[in-house]
């Protein structure tokens, strides 16, 4: 009898962890897709139970599935009134879906990122070994720990759970007094605060109260708290963790610099938030149905809040339906990009956009390498970025064409809701609610493809790099 | 006194050619942009002359400029009635603009492609020399002549002029009897035939007759001739020339295989034309205002013709305005891609799309190299492709946002006309005609950016590759 066969809690945990590791390492992409799809089916089943609806009836499959997908994919699009349709049981199921979907994704994605970076790290070392460039030898392969900033998957899991508890807990405590002031009793206020906190940090965008965001439309405190929650969720766990390590570690454990991923994510996110806010501010300035009646300060705050929400928070203090077509197109682009990698946000991810622009910049300057922050980004990363964008464009185009043909709705509304679904943003022109059942299924599939697609594409695809024993002769087609 | 200073026609020609070569090689991108912009200004001036309009008045600057841009960029969008507004002088100016713009672009683009491939060829040789992969040595660098299929710029120019004369001449002769049957007198029919031929081959899409395409809406013969003309123009000169060499050369001069560029262009173009036709056929099948009233054969033919026109021919036998939103989105995507590189067509180019998908495919299969037709496509080509797409997306987004804000027109019409302008396609929902002057300038700028942008981007950017004496340490951001 060996030590590992003794059944102790620690022993079981270790073995479970080992199995999960093995499964994740052998089939990372399929593993995520499997977990996701299974989760969605379980939550659909739970939401269809009579006990889940406020009036004790069976919620139709299409609405239960849509809500389950919207929760597990942390999208926040709705086809029923979230504040009144569900019972407490239903709400707890949804909350569970959000946490498992949002945080679970975050975990699995980080885990995949780690696995991938390990493999790529290996491949990189192999490549580096055959690299005879003398300049190259001074640097040597870079430790993959720079990518995620963590040494092992167990530590990663613990760190995720810990940071979620801390962040959601803090947000809950910050929101609580605001809801008490609004006149809610302590228990209700606590539940709603937690719901708001989880909805913000997981970038879901469900609102638990019947009045929606209206009471807070010009509330600096509440919008700031929610905005920060969404921001923290959207930059992604690897970034949060890197920032934490950088800020707290001392002595030899303190990293000398922030990882490239962290810098790229923060810079690109900041640029998008500021530019988005400026565009919304400028284009909606004189729109009487949106910003037109607000004070200057309110206009600035609303623009900044709405811009942050396109990262993929999805809470809205303006009527999307009343916005100008130009603003909708700007928001389409912002939602398309979404948030950070391995985050609760969706979209193609800010680093994907950054890598594409860095590649174009490198080309324009005639650099041999794609570079950023004095680091070289390998070409495989560009290929992954291109794959992700093509995937996104294909899904969005297909979904839009089907919905356009099905509903004959105007393109700006269809495109907005489809990109919002793909980027799991959850903002809506109102089209989603009015879709026929077929359209709801299409949009649910779009959310699913958006959530599992980009993440597993980035991870699973690259993980299967195979050795090639000969290379084809080179030939260049003319492009452009 | 040296031989080169003797002033003979041949001597002058040689010296001009040498100067042009030198200018083109030293500043290929700026050279093209300069030539283009100068041409547009000259043609604008000519079109503003009273003698250029049918009623002998001065055409307003905005309309003259728009028409000049539309002609020189071979776009075919119109803000005045092309069949009645211009005098014979005006028409000849426009015809000259089309030929110089379409064929000149074709030439300059090919020339740039050659220059670039030469430089890249050099760089490639340098890289190959430092490549210690033993498998690589079996192949050696591939001659750049594979790319364009020509040895020198002079030969290229002659070949372009020759093939244009032959193709446009043949098309003219094929169209002539059809117009005579329509009842036109010989001279008018000759002029109109030539106009149609040039308009088709240069992918312009202007129609010389007041009735427009209506008389030929279900005319198999005319649509086939025009379709083939547009197709030949859109695949690009390097492809035409490679096909010609492959078909005509005998013995040692016959190439053993078609260049990769040719295969990629023909395959992608064919896929797009067939898939586009299928989509138009399926989506417009029961639309009473477009295909609904046609016979099955007519529906098939119209779908195929309209799909071919998105390459960027721009002739329309259907009322774009009456098409479904879903079909418009499909056509948006087709026009965005456009035709072949170094052709009279616009868009990001079919090879650009192909390279992006090949990169994603290589990533999905875990290949180290981007491959097609048993050839390896170097990574720089992917970077150029990404640059071109980013440029296209940026221009189209900017132009759309401005026009949306300016006109408050629906997104599907704005997007369609903007992509049509950028891709120099010339199909229109009717929005272009109704634009205020500001909007016309925006659209003219979009055409200009679409025509010079992608071509010079692809050429100019890559031409300035600089040696790097050290490489940064590598670090991978997570994307997707
Ligand atoms: K969301
Ligand atoms: K055209």
């Amino acid at each position: 009898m060996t030590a590992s066969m003794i059944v102790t809690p620690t022993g079981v945990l270790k073995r479970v962890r080992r199995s999960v590791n093995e499964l994740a390492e052998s089939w990372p992409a399929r593993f995520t897709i499997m977990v996701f799809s299974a989760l969605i089916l379980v939550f659909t089943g739970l939401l269809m139970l009579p006990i889940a609806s406020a009036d004790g009836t069976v919620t139709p499959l299409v609405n239960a599935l849509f809500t389950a997908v919207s929760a597990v994919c942390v999208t926040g699009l709705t086809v029923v009134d979230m504040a009144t349709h569900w019972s407490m049981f239903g709400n707890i199921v949804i909350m569970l879906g959000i946490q498992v979907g949002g945080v679970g994704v975050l975990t699995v994605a980080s885990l995949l990122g780690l696995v991938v970076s390990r493999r790529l790290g290996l491949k990189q070392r192999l490549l580096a070994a055959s690299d005879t460039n003398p300049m190259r030898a001074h640097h040597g392969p870079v430790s993959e720990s720079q990518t995620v900033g963590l040494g092992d998957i167990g530590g990663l899991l613990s760190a995720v759970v810990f940071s979620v508890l801390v962040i959601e807990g803090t947000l809950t405590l910050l929101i609580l007094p605001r809801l008490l002031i609004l006149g809610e009793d302590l228990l209700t206020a606590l539940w709603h605060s937690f719901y708001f906190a989880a909805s913000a940090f997981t970038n879901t965008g469900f609102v638990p109260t019947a009045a929606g965001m209206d009471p807070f439309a010009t509330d600096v405190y509440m919008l700031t708290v929610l905005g920060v929650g969404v921001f923290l969720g959207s930059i992604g766990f690897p970034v949060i963790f890197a920032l934490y390590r950088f800020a707290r570690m001392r002595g030899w454990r303190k990293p000398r610099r922030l990882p490239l991923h962290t810098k790229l994510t923060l810079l690109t996110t900041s640029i998008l938030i500021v530019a988005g806010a400026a565009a919304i501010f400028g284009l909606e300035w004189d729109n009487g149905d949106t910003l037109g009646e607000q004070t200057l300060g309110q206009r600035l705050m609303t623009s900044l809040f709405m811009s942050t929400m396109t990262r993929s928070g999805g809470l809205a203090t303006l009527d999307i339906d009343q916005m100008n077509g130009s603003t909708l197109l700007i928001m389409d682009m912002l939602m398309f990009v979404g948030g950070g990698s391995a985050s609760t946000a969706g979209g193609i991810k800010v680093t994907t956009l950054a890598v594409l622009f860095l590649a174009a910049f490198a080309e324009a300057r005639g650099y041999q390498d794609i570079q950023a922050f004095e680091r070289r980004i390998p070409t495989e990363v560009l290929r992954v970025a291109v794959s992700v964008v093509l995937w996104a464009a294909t899904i969005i185009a297909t979904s839009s064409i089907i919905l356009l043909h099905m509903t004959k709705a105007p393109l700006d509304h269809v495109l907005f809701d489809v990109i919002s679904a793909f980027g799991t943003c959850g903002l809506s022109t109102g089209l989603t609610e009015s879709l026929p059942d077929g359209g709801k299924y299409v949009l649910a599939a779009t959310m699913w493809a958006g959530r599992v697609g980009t993440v597993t594409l980035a991870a699973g695809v690259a993980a299967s790099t195979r050795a090639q024993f000969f290379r084809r002769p080179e030939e260049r087609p003319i492009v452009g």
Side-chain angles (χ1 to χ4, degrees), chain A residues 141-422:
Chain A
V142 169
S143 155
E144 70 268 14
S145 69
Q146 278 200 355
T147 310
V148 178
L150 276 169
D152 73 303
I153 296 174
L156 188 78
L157 284 170
S158 329
V160 168
V161 172
F162 182 74
S163 71
V164 168
L165 287 178
V166 169
I167 294 175
E168 290 193 4
T170 309
L171 290 173
T172 305
L173 291 180
L174 288 171
I175 296 170
L176 182 62
R178 184 64 191 83
L179 295 188
L180 289 173
I181 291 171
L182 211 67
E184 294 191 354
D185 64 87
L186 183 63
L187 260 184
T188 313
L190 251 178
W191 164 246
H192 284 169
S193 301
F194 176 58
Y195 196 115
F196 263 122
S199 187
F201 179 68
T202 61
N203 271 237
T204 310
F206 284 144
V207 179
T209 50
M213 288 294 291
D214 290 349
F216 318 113
T218 57
D219 182 334
V220 182
Y221 178 77
M222 188 69 171
L223 294 190
T224 306
V225 172
L226 291 175
V228 169
V230 165
F231 177 82
L232 287 177
S234 83
I235 56 177
F237 177 70
V239 174
I240 296 176
F241 199 76
L243 289 176
Y244 174 81
R245 288 218 316 173
F246 195 77
R248 294 299 302 273
M249 296 296 181
R250 290 285 171 269
W252 63 271
R253 297 181 66 185
K254 187 177 177 74
R256 276 172 306 163
R257 57 190 292 281
L258 283 170
L260 172 62
H261 176 74
T262 302
K263 291 182 184 169
L264 268 190
T265 302
L266 291 176
L267 179 66
T268 315
T269 302
S270 307
I271 292 174
L272 288 178
I273 287 180
V274 172
I280 294 170
F281 183 81
L283 293 171
E284 294 296 319
W285 171 262
D286 56 357
N287 183 344
D289 296 315
T290 58
L291 294 183
E293 304 296 310
Q294 299 189 349
T295 66
L296 179 63
Q298 287 171 348
R299 281 174 178 160
L300 282 170
M301 191 181 58
T302 307
S303 303
L304 193 62
F305 184 77
M306 289 305 293
S307 177
T308 307
M309 288 308 117
T310 59
R311 279 292 66 61
S312 69
L315 296 165
T317 56
L318 289 181
D319 193 350
I320 307 283
D321 191 25
Q322 298 300 319
M323 288 179 141
N324 289 318
S326 46
T327 320
L328 292 184
L329 195 55
I330 293 270
M331 293 179 75
D332 286 344
M333 300 194 298
L334 293 170
M335 294 192 298
F336 182 80
V337 177
S341 296
S343 75
T344 55
I348 60 165
K349 306 294 160 27
V350 290
T351 41
T352 306
L353 182 76
V355 166
L356 293 176
F357 270 97
L358 288 170
F361 181 75
E363 191 60 35
R365 295 295 294 268
Y367 294 152
Q368 187 184 341
D369 297 317
I370 305 175
Q371 299 176 359
F373 295 110
E374 307 193 325
R375 288 290 180 273
R376 169 166 57 91
I377 299 173
T379 303
E380 300 95 279
V381 177
L382 176 62
R383 294 201 334 193
V384 176
V386 167
S387 304
V388 169
V389 171
L390 281 182
W391 169 257
T394 306
I395 297 292
I396 289 169
T398 308
S399 181
S400 297
I401 289 162
I402 297 175
L403 288 184
L404 278 170
H405 209 67
M406 192 181 274
T407 64
K408 312 281 177 202
L411 178 64
D412 50 355
H413 285 193
V414 171
L415 201 61
F416 191 95
D417 278 38
V418 165
I419 294 181
S420 177
F422 181 87

